[in-house]
């Protein structure tokens, strides 16, 4: 089931690491790094040495974790 946030947000919206960490419950940057390294967490797009994620991919990943 898709998150309510996913239905209302722009499908190609890019979010930075702080927004990703907040979506995931206020986790640390190390937590985020470990998820990217050790799981199927979406990988970021790098723009001018900054990381951005597709919001819909992060929300879909979170939904898949709740289903597990």
């Amino acid at each position: 089931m898709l998150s309510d946030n996913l239905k209302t947000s722009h499908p190609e919206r890019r979010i930075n690491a702080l927004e990703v960490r907040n979506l995931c419950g206020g986790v640390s940057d190390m937590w985020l790094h470990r998820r990217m390294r050790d799981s199927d967490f979406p990988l970021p797009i790098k723009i001018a040495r900054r990381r951005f994620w597709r919001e819909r991919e992060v929300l879909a990943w979170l939904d898949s974790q709740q289903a597990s």
Side-chain angles (χ1 to χ4, degrees):
M1 181 169 99
L2 293 177
S3 168
D4 290 336
N5 290 337
L6 185 58
K7 295 175 187 173
T8 59
S9 68
H10 186 277
E12 292 302 316
R13 181 171 181 250
R14 304 294 194 267
I15 57 176
N16 63 25
L18 178 60
E19 290 177 279
V20 171
R21 292 184 357 238
N22 287 336
L23 275 177
C24 294
V27 298
S28 69
D29 198 47
M30 181 57 71
W31 180 94
L32 184 57
H33 174 74
R34 287 178 180 149
R35 290 299 116 10
M36 289 187 302
R37 182 189 68 199
D38 298 336
S39 75
D40 60 346
F41 193 85
L43 296 176
I45 300 162
K46 292 188 179 177
I47 302 172
R49 298 177 56 177
R50 294 186 62 200
R51 300 175 297 172
F52 294 92
W53 284 259
R54 288 180 181 88
E55 183 181 41
R56 66 179 163 79
E57 291 179 0
V58 174
L59 291 172
W61 183 85
L62 286 169
D63 283 346
S64 75
Q65 299 306 297
Q66 291 175 353
S68 298

